Every structure is written in structure tokens, then in C-alpha cells.
Amino acid sequence: GQQVMQIPQYQHVQEGEDFTTYCNSSTTLSNIQWYKQRPGGHPVFLIQLVKSGEVKKQKRLTFQFGEAKKNSSLHITATQTTDVGTYFCAGPGGGTSYGKLTFGQGTILTVHP
Amino acid sequence: KAGVTQTPRYLIKTRGQQVTLSCSPISGHRSVSWYQQTPGQGLQFLFEYFSETQRNKGNFPGRFSGRQFSNSRSEMNVSTLELGDSALYLCASSPRAGLETQYFGPGTRLLVL
């Protein structure tokens, strides 16, 4: 079935450094969603990308959807301690996962002050 | 609008027991999905209900079941609990079925002893 892989699994940065997490799918995605989960919290929707090559920005966060619609990235500029958490991508499942979202394993971001 | 609510928030059970978790979606949302989150397996889709019908089911044993009521509230049940069922169970609602943005509740943390 369709898989959504995320790398890296963990990322430790100093406050002020940049951070990027990558999401790769084994199949073409019609769209991709990004979520953030703070420690002890629940996933919160950040953004959805639909178009090939689409780039969207939310303040210091930049989201990109690959031209082939099989990969995506989330880049955070000048991280802050409030950016700590796990970032998930999620895409439509295929095969036995058809019709439902498949979440990547997530990237756990730690920001050292 | 009030967010997704889940009860109870914490639960301790012993092996062999059964448990029922409850979820109230955002007002007007008709789709409710359930996810299991563990450190090792990440976010795994359990099932989705829409208009009281199960639309999709993840790869979980039959011990995991659910239902949705006419007011869109949903319950999930796990029978014959196993140690490996210890997890955070997240409910998410969306206005429509399928691949919509997921609005997650705070989750029920289940510990099986």
C-alpha cells in the first residue's frame, strides 16, 4: 500500500537556526496536509497543498509541494522555542488505504534556547 | 465553535477488560475518524464514520470497533484489552467524509496493565 515517509525522525537545533523536514510518498498525491503536535498535545492542522510545485508561507514556515506531487517539505526559518513539537505530513492513502489519510511518522523538533 | 471533545481523558485498565471511549465532534461536522498513536507506530488510522456508517477501516483486529450516533457523536470500543493497546486514542472530525482536514480532539490516554 501507499506509504508516506518523513525524514529526519529527530532534529535538534539551536534557537535561531533553520529547520527542514521532508515528506516522501511512494505514489503521486492529490494533496498533502501538514500538522503540528506540541508535546502532550494533539495534532493541529497547519496547511494543505494541492497544486504541483505549490509554495505556501505562514510567517516563518514555508511549505512546498514537489513538481511530481510525490514529495513535500516544511521549512522553518530562525526557529523559536515555540516551534518545539512533532511535525506530521499526511496524504491520501492508496491501495488498502484508499480514501483515508496516511500520516508520516513525524519529525520531532527540539529547539535549544 | 467548541472543538472536538473526548472522554475520558485518561484511563487505566487491566488486560482482558474492555473499554469504551467517546468523542463529540465539532458542531456541524459529520465525519469522525479515530486514530491510535504510540511512540513506536506513530499515528495509525482506526476507522472513519460518516452519517452513522463506517466508511473506512484501518488494519486493526476485530477487537477494535466503533459506532456513530445520529448526532454525529462517536464511540469506539476495545474488547479483551492487551498490553499493546496502551496508547493515545485520538478522535478527529471534519465537515465531510474522506480526505478532509482533520480537527483533532485532545485524546484519551489509555494504559493497560
Side-chain angles (χ1 to χ4, degrees), chain A residues 30-31 33 35 37 41-45 48 88 92-93 96 98-101 103-105, chain B residues 35 37 40-43 45 48 55-58 88 90 98-102 104-106:
Chain A
S30 58
N31 69 83
Q33 301 176 21
Y35 293 78
Q37 183 174 20
H42 57 275
V44 174
F45 173 76
Q48 177 172 286
F88 295 96
T96 56
Y98 181 79
K100 50 186 181 275
L101 283 175
F103 281 78
Q105 287 288 82
Chain B
Y35 295 84
Q37 187 174 35
Q41 298 297 318
L43 261 171
F45 173 82
E48 178 192 14
R55 284 191 75 251
N56 271 307
K57 190 177 193 305
L88 179 65
L90 291 158
L99 308 171
E100 300 289 317
T101 298
Q102 302 287 282
F104 285 89

Side-chain angles (χ1 to χ4, degrees), chain B:
Chain B
K1 277 185 182 179
V4 177
T5 58
Q6 290 186 246
T7 56
R9 294 292 311 279
Y10 304 92
L11 209 46
I12 300 175
K13 292 285 188 179
T14 55
R15 277 180 299 176
Q17 287 187 309
Q18 76 163 17
V19 65
T20 299
L21 312 181
S22 181
C23 171
S24 292
I26 292 172
S27 176
H29 286 195
R30 296 171 60 195
S31 170
V32 173
S33 296
W34 289 89
Y35 295 84
Q36 182 195 65
Q37 187 174 35
T38 58
Q41 298 297 318
L43 261 171
Q44 291 191 289
F45 173 82
L46 280 156
F47 25 66
E48 178 192 14
Y49 286 87
F50 181 79
S51 294
E52 302 177 65
T53 302
Q54 187 181 90
R55 284 191 75 251
N56 271 307
K57 190 177 193 305
N59 191 24
F60 280 82
R63 300 185 296 107
F64 291 81
S65 63
R67 59 177 176 168
Q68 186 180 34
F69 302 96
S70 58
N71 61 359
S72 294
R73 193 176 68 83
S74 176
E75 288 181 347
M76 70 162 279
N77 184 77
V78 187
S79 62
T80 319
L81 284 166
E82 300 177 359
L83 296 179
D85 296 333
S86 294
L88 179 65
Y89 290 88
L90 291 158
C91 164
S93 75
S94 56
R96 294 165 293 276
L99 308 171
E100 300 289 317
T101 298
Q102 302 287 282
Y103 295 87
F104 285 89
T108 294
R109 190 163 294 280
L110 172 65
L111 177 62
V112 182
L113 301 175

Side-chain angles (χ1 to χ4, degrees), chain A:
Chain A
Q2 184 255 3
Q3 290 188 353
V4 176
M5 308 296 292
Q6 260 185 277
I7 54 169
Q9 189 175 357
Y10 302 94
Q11 186 75 59
H12 306 274
V13 299
Q14 288 291 132
E15 191 172 19
E17 291 182 337
D18 292 356
F19 158 76
T20 304
T21 175
Y22 300 91
C23 183
N24 294 287
S25 169
S26 56
T27 59
T28 301
L29 300 169
S30 58
N31 69 83
I32 194 152
Q33 301 176 21
W34 285 92
Y35 293 78
K36 176 184 177 182
Q37 183 174 20
R38 294 181 187 275
H42 57 275
V44 174
F45 173 76
L46 292 176
I47 208 161
Q48 177 172 286
L49 304 172
V50 179
K51 299 177 184 175
S52 169
E54 188 171 16
V55 178
K56 287 189 176 180
K57 294 191 176 187
Q58 289 179 351
K59 297 182 181 178
R60 295 178 295 103
L61 277 62
T62 302
F63 303 84
Q64 198 160 8
F65 202 8
E67 294 289 342
K69 301 183 76 173
K70 294 179 73 173
N71 58 76
S72 181
S73 65
L74 157 60
H75 179 82
I76 302 178
T77 304
T79 55
Q80 301 175 357
T81 54
T82 53
D83 295 325
V84 164
T86 303
Y87 293 85
F88 295 96
C89 62
T96 56
S97 300
Y98 181 79
K100 50 186 181 275
L101 283 175
T102 298
F103 281 78
Q105 287 288 82
T107 295
I108 300 172
L109 173 64
T110 305
V111 180
H112 300 284

